[in-house]
Amino acid sequence: MTSKASAQSYEHLNEEAQYQLSRSNQERIDYIQSSRWIGYPKAKEVLGRMEDLLVYPKKHRMPCMLIVGDSNSGKTMIAERFSDLHPAYEREDGEGVVIPALFIQSPPTPSESRLYSNILTKMFAPFRPSDTTDKKHHQVMTIMAACNVKMLIIDEIHSLLAGPLDKQRIFLSVIRNLSNELKIPIVGLGTKDALRAVKTDPQLDNRFKPSLLPRWEMDTDFRRLLASFERMIPLSNRSNLKGKAVAQKIHFMSEGLLGEVSDILVEASIYAINTGLEKIDLDVLNQISYESPKERKKGQR
């Protein structure tokens, strides 16, 4: 650590953030811009439910799950964390790869063929986009079974509403059949529109149990979350993000959305480093050019 760092106490930071202080400003900024996991209670609860599904005994009608929240509420972060906890690995006999949890993006419209393409692409399987849907289906079923995929996670599943009703129903039927044929749980991530979409298929509605990610309230839990963020941000001076005035400002700017909180703190941290202030306070939050979700929506009109 630098002589400056060694001469000062950095008890407000965790060990990794303290180490980052010894690096250049650009290296610190790169670190701040990289994603990090904060295990707040609701996220741990959702991860626990996913763990239960992963080891659920195989049967024809597997239970499934729908993680529901507003855009930028942290749904994808949870799924990525789960995928990181269950990475693909080579079989002990050397005969291929095991993929415990396959995390894919939903196609922008309800297309069976494009769903299969996304699965094959994520599994690095060779195929032609022009292949017939039946051929892709056979390839998906064969490869997923061979790789012992135990769970399929589909992000942005509400995008199926971008198509006509008949295609929505076909797409939902395809998801149900994938679960039935492979005997695996499926976890969908989406906005509240995803709930509405799933309810159009009574069989899926009974199997997809929703887990809601509400917006954060301006309360003790939110201030505790900010304290966790502060310990991970390599700034020399204590910010006291959990202080009432700063916490209220961040909550107002973020509208209670976890992803927005993270983006605000990244931008404020970079400003604090570049200006030499080395902390995030009300002045810094007022200086950064950050638009709330509502303000961005107004600009799109």
Side-chain angles (χ1 to χ4, degrees):
M1 193 164 289
T2 63
S3 57
K4 176 186 175 183
S6 59
Q8 188 174 343
S9 173
Y10 299 106
E11 294 178 355
H12 61 289
L13 302 177
N14 63 23
E15 187 175 341
E16 177 59 28
Q18 290 184 38
Y19 163 72
Q20 293 296 327
L21 286 179
S22 67
R23 310 183 75 191
S24 69
N25 284 359
Q26 187 55 55
E27 286 173 323
R28 278 197 291 160
I29 289 172
D30 291 343
Y31 173 76
I32 288 168
Q33 290 176 324
S34 64
S35 60
R36 280 171 302 283
W37 169 253
I38 292 182
Y40 59 96
K42 184 62 180 181
K44 291 180 179 178
E45 176 190 320
V46 174
L47 285 174
R49 290 187 59 187
M50 294 176 73
E51 293 286 353
D52 291 342
L53 287 178
L54 190 67
V55 297
Y56 200 90
K58 286 185 176 293
K59 65 177 186 177
H60 179 63
R61 290 171 55 84
M62 293 291 288
C64 298
M65 181 178 176
L66 201 59
I67 303 175
V68 180
D70 292 324
S71 178
N72 223 358
S73 61
K75 303 182 297 294
T76 302
M77 188 185 303
I78 291 174
E80 288 175 342
R81 174 64 174 176
F82 188 82
S83 297
D84 289 343
L85 292 172
H86 301 281
Y89 59 91
E90 288 191 21
R91 286 172 43 171
E92 292 182 1
D93 58 10
E95 297 295 323
V97 175
V98 174
I99 305 176
L102 182 64
F103 184 25
I104 68 163
Q105 189 81 13
S106 176
T109 56
S111 165
E112 179 180 3
S113 179
R114 293 184 71 172
L115 175 67
Y116 295 148
S117 293
N118 288 0
I119 292 173
L120 294 170
T121 298
K122 193 62 181 280
M123 300 184 76
F124 302 101
F127 74 98
R128 294 186 180 89
S130 59
D131 286 342
T132 65
T133 300
D134 284 346
K135 182 175 181 180
K136 290 181 185 177
H137 171 258
H138 176 74
Q139 192 174 2
V140 163
M141 301 303 294
T142 301
I143 295 178
M144 287 184 71
C147 292
N148 195 29
V149 174
K150 296 179 180 179
M151 174 185 288
L152 177 63
I153 306 171
I154 307 176
D155 200 3
E156 304 288 340
I157 199 169
H158 54 266
S159 61
L160 68 91
L161 292 171
L165 192 58
D166 59 335
K167 288 192 175 182
Q168 292 180 33
R169 288 172 175 164
I170 292 172
F171 191 79
L172 288 170
S173 178
V174 168
I175 292 175
R176 184 178 66 245
N177 289 340
L178 276 174
S179 178
N180 290 345
E181 293 179 52
L182 292 167
K183 294 183 174 59
I184 61 172
I186 293 179
V187 176
L189 282 61
T191 64
K192 291 180 181 178
D193 288 337
L195 275 176
R196 179 161 57 90
V198 168
K199 285 186 180 298
T200 63
D201 186 314
Q203 293 186 52
L204 278 182
D205 187 29
N206 289 332
R207 291 162 64 178
F208 273 86
K209 303 303 180 185
S211 186
L212 304 180
L213 292 181
R215 296 190 182 215
W216 289 80
E217 300 290 338
M218 178 52 215
D219 56 15
T220 302
D221 287 339
F222 183 70
R223 294 167 75 172
R224 189 177 293 121
L225 173 75
L226 293 179
S228 297
F229 267 108
E230 180 165 356
R231 287 188 55 76
M232 301 169 68
I233 301 173
L235 295 176
S236 299
N237 299 324
R238 189 184 299 274
S239 298
N240 192 26
L241 296 180
K242 68 178 181 179
K244 188 174 181 181
V246 173
Q248 285 180 331
K249 177 68 173 178
I250 295 173
H251 187 268
F252 175 77
M253 294 171 71
S254 68
E255 298 176 13
L257 294 167
L258 180 61
E260 300 289 335
V261 171
S262 179
D263 292 344
I264 290 166
L265 293 179
V266 166
E267 193 166 331
S269 300
I270 293 172
Y271 181 90
I273 290 174
N274 288 334
T275 58
L277 294 172
E278 292 291 335
K279 68 177 180 178
I280 299 171
D281 56 17
L282 285 176
D283 289 338
V284 169
L285 293 172
N286 286 325
Q287 286 298 320
I288 62 174
S289 56
Y290 193 86
E291 289 187 330
S292 68
K294 285 182 181 177
E295 290 172 332
R296 294 198 294 270
K297 286 181 181 178
K298 288 178 183 178
Q300 294 172 359
R301 292 174 185 171

